[in-house]
Amino acid sequence: MKKLKIGDLEKIREKARRTANLRQGKARAKITVHMGTCGIAAGAREILTALMKEIEKKKIKDVIVTTSGCAGLCSREPMATVEITGKAPVKYVDLDAAKMKKILVNHVLKGTVVKEYALAIGSERTY
Amino acid sequence: MANPPKADDTASKAILRLLRDCFEIYRETQRYCDITNGVRNILQDLSLHILDIVENSIDAGAKKIEIIIKENVKQNMLVLKIKDNGKGMDKNTIAKALDPFYTTKKTRRIGLGLSMLAQATKEADGTFQIKSQKGKGTTVIAKFVYDHIDRKPIGNMTETIIALIAGKGMDVDFIYEHHKNSHGFVFDTRTIKKEIKDIPINNGEVLNILRENIIKELKRIGARP
Ligand SMILES: Nc1ncnc2c1ncn2[C@@H]1O[C@H](COP(=O)(O)OP(=O)(O)O)[C@@H](O)[C@H]1O
Ligand SMILES: [Mg+2]
């Protein structure tokens, strides 16, 4: 059976060389999209896809996008956590692609927390 | 004027916490009812179920996860298989895993993923099976009657695989095998990692190329990209 191989290796190498080495912790921010059952049902995958596309469109090279499991607040999914390096993480709730893009621009790039989408501090359950 | 008596802080905090807990349980139960009343609408397609089932494997500490889809039109059968090398379950846990009110997650009191996929197979006259061995790993097999009117569509496997690699590709290896009738392909992140060497697999450029490749392969085998 055919094994999938990626062509264009040199092209990727070339492009990737210009990318900051995120594994060495030089990232400006980390965005975690929560992928528990409720999150997936509420559209978390679409949010992740939209986020990746926007990061590419804006040629942002120093933001890590990752996923994690259930955040424990099913009724507020989809959710994402934005962590600017050196600052406290902010949880965003009831997201859609447009809100995610706004968070990327305002919070991640400009440093202003988008309060209207953020989970009110104190309403978060700690376990 | 005398100050109003100050409520005991620890006591009021405890009561508040209790109220909040109750509310959360209420909301979850409400949501559970919504979900069981309309199971078919919650995870719209099988690619979302797969994403969810693989999330269990990741939670179970799996480092290698195989996702196998077999579309056999002639035998009128669709088979999904998700195999991981995570921590596995003992007999007792497997039996309980299908109870929607069972979860070992600490963030929530109900688990739905496995029961929802089981439900989806039932609706399409299929079967559902969990094989697991503590310390070895878990395999979930879902079979469906291919042309059953209530069989959920496969959905967008490309975005499911890309989402998994973007989120966990640095720590976990994914092997995605998709067959349609006599055609098929294997997509193995271990092979790709060897090829790209020092470039992280979750790099945006790499993901774009992987995405294009998966779509191309799905088209080649006659599956819906
Ligand atoms: N691949 C797996 N490996 C080990 N344990 C699993 C796996 N899948 C499911 N389980 C167990 O079954 C339980 C129920 O799973 P699931 O129905 O997906 O609900 P949830 O993930 O929300 O708990 C999990 O909490 C876990 O204890
Ligand atoms: Mg689950």
Side-chain angles (χ1 to χ4, degrees), chain B residues 26-202:
Chain B
Y26 165 76
R27 270 210 306 220
E28 278 176 11
T29 319
Q30 196 72 19
R31 182 160 180 110
Y32 173 70
C33 293
D34 292 348
I35 289 169
T36 43
N37 285 333
V39 164
R40 283 202 301 133
N41 299 324
I42 268 297
L43 289 173
Q44 295 89 335
D45 60 49
L46 298 177
S47 73
L48 293 175
H49 275 287
I50 291 171
L51 187 56
D52 178 55
I53 297 297
V54 172
E55 210 60 50
N56 284 342
S57 304
I58 293 168
D59 288 339
K63 292 291 165 218
K64 186 178 109 184
I65 302 169
E66 291 167 70
I67 300 161
I68 301 160
I69 299 181
K70 287 186 178 160
E71 299 184 55
N72 194 326
V73 183
K74 218 187 264 166
Q75 287 176 24
N76 200 18
M77 195 154 77
L78 170 67
V79 183
L80 307 182
K81 196 162 147 186
I82 294 106
K83 185 175 175 197
D84 70 52
N85 65 354
K87 68 179 181 196
M89 292 179 259
D90 54 34
K91 282 217 171 69
N92 209 4
T93 313
I94 302 173
K96 280 192 281 188
L98 276 177
D99 171 359
F101 282 98
Y102 176 78
T103 177
T104 51
K105 301 250 160 74
K106 287 184 182 60
T107 47
R108 198 161 22 89
R109 286 163 203 82
I110 55 171
L112 289 164
L114 288 171
S115 8
M116 284 203 305
L117 181 57
Q119 171 78 14
T121 60
K122 214 190 276 170
E123 282 168 3
D125 283 339
T127 58
F128 184 78
Q129 201 186 355
I130 304 174
K131 294 181 197 166
S132 191
Q133 223 182 323
K134 192 135 186 101
K136 289 256 165 72
T138 302
T139 305
V140 172
I141 303 169
K143 290 184 183 166
F144 306 81
V145 171
Y146 194 81
D147 69 357
H148 197 288
I149 188 156
D150 289 323
R151 200 259 297 163
K152 287 192 194 185
I154 294 176
N156 195 335
M157 274 312 292
T158 310
E159 283 316 317
T160 283
I161 300 296
I162 295 300
L164 287 170
I165 299 174
K168 289 287 175 291
M170 294 297 279
D171 312 314
V172 181
D173 278 310
F174 297 101
I175 297 133
Y176 165 42
E177 207 176 304
H178 197 134
H179 305 258
K180 178 142 186 190
N181 302 325
S182 54
H183 300 288
F185 67 87
V186 189
F187 171 94
D188 189 333
T189 58
R190 294 171 303 182
T191 318
I192 291 156
K193 281 176 186 171
K194 265 186 214 146
E195 271 191 75
I196 59 177
K197 295 193 185 101
D198 53 322
I199 308 171
I201 194 158
N202 59 357

Side-chain angles (χ1 to χ4, degrees), chain B residues 206-217:
Chain B
V206 175
L207 290 176
N208 275 338
I209 290 170
L210 296 181
R211 183 184 277 119
E212 279 167 28
N213 273 283
I214 295 172
I215 292 172
K216 204 171 76 193
E217 286 301 296

Side-chain angles (χ1 to χ4, degrees), chain A residues 1-2 4 6 9 12-13 15 23 35 37 41 45 48-49 56 65-67 70 74-75 125 127, chain B residues 21 27 42 47 52 55 108 156 159-160 167-168 170 179 186 195 198 205-206 208-210 217:
Chain A
M1 195 173 17
K2 194 178 165 187
L4 199 147
I6 61 175
L9 209 63
I12 313 172
R13 251 176 217 298
K15 283 179 174 165
R23 277 180 300 184
M35 286 279 183
T37 307
R45 192 186 69 187
L48 180 69
T49 305
E56 204 205 331
V65 175
T66 182
T67 59
C70 175
C74 287
S75 50
R125 283 184 59 98
Y127 289 86
Chain B
D21 273 4
R27 270 210 306 220
I42 268 297
S47 73
D52 178 55
E55 210 60 50
R108 198 161 22 89
N156 195 335
E159 283 316 317
T160 283
K168 289 287 175 291
M170 294 297 279
H179 305 258
V186 189
E195 271 191 75
D198 53 322
E205 299 295 341
V206 175
N208 275 338
I209 290 170
L210 296 181
E217 286 301 296

